[in-house]
Structures are given as C-alpha cells and as structure tokens.
Amino acid sequence: MDLPGALADVLSGIQRLIRRRLRRGLTGPRLRGAQVELLQLALANPGIGVSAAARELYLAGNSVSTLVNQLTTAGLLLRETDPGDRRSARLLATPEAESRLRAWQERRAALVRAQVERLGDDDQAALAAALPALRRLAEGLREEVEGP
C-alpha cells in the first residue's frame, strides 16, 4: 500500500465531501476556499495588512488584493487605511463575515460529529489515536512550506 498517496487521497476526499455537503442550503453567494481562508485570517488577526496576509496564506500580493476587492464588494471585508502608514491597508472582517464563518463551522462540526458517531467504538478510537500523528504531519508540511 502507498500510505502517503492513500492518506492524501482520503484527506482531500473527506474535505471535498464536507464542502459539497455543506454547500446545500447556503444563504448568500458561495465563497471560494481562498476567500474563506482570508476571512478566517482577518478574523484571527484584526487589522492584518495585505502583505502579511499574502505571506501567511502563501499567495502573491496581487492575488490577495483581488480577494480583498471581491470580499469588500461582497460586504464581508473592510479595508481601512493604516494610521501608522497611509500607504498600507488594514483588513477587518465584517460582522456578516463572522456570522457566515461561524455558521459554516457549526454546520461542519455537526456534520462530522454525526458521521463519527455512526462509526463503531474501534474506529472512533483509531481516529482519536491518529490525531497526534496527523497534527505532526500538518506541522511538518507547514515547516516545509515556510522553509528555513
């Protein structure tokens, strides 16, 4: 068995199925993955700059600027001039963005919880036991992406 390939396939398949299931019943326009990631970043780091957001998301600055324009037009992100540097912008998620993200996270948690509860005790224990290794895998990937 090709463990790395099988693991990557299963993880991406789970993520894709979660997204597809949660798209049903959405109110408002659908957000793309990078848009959601930028909104989550702005919520976690109110006032983050475009350049810092680009570094954190591993995207080009012009790509983040495009996302900022899209999300600002949609009323989900505010772009304010940085009082310390008038050439820079600070990004702030709107209350509507916060509400949409919270609703999405709650629906995602409920969906995954329901599926985990359908599994037998042995499978639930195996998933719980795998979490530390999966976290270390994620950390290793993050370190590789960030480089030395």
Side-chain angles (χ1 to χ4, degrees), residues 46-141:
I48 190 169
V50 174
S51 296
R55 279 190 305 276
E56 184 69 24
L57 298 173
Y58 306 103
L59 295 172
N62 62 341
S63 295
V64 173
S65 292
T66 299
L67 293 170
V68 168
N69 290 335
Q70 293 167 348
L71 294 168
T72 300
T73 299
L76 299 172
L77 195 65
L78 298 175
R79 178 182 18 210
E80 295 181 346
T81 302
D82 186 336
D85 180 358
R86 308 290 291 161
R87 298 169 295 158
S88 298
R90 300 176 346 146
L91 305 176
L92 301 161
T94 65
E96 180 184 346
E98 186 173 1
S99 175
R100 282 187 67 177
L101 288 175
R102 186 175 35 257
W104 175 272
Q105 290 164 346
E106 289 170 358
R107 290 177 58 218
R108 182 182 65 187
L111 173 64
V112 173
R113 183 181 311 107
Q115 292 304 314
V116 168
E117 288 172 353
R118 292 177 62 187
L119 298 173
D121 291 343
D122 289 346
D123 284 341
Q124 288 184 32
L127 288 175
L131 287 176
L134 290 169
R135 286 189 183 105
R136 287 189 296 275
L137 175 64
E139 184 57 33
L141 290 167

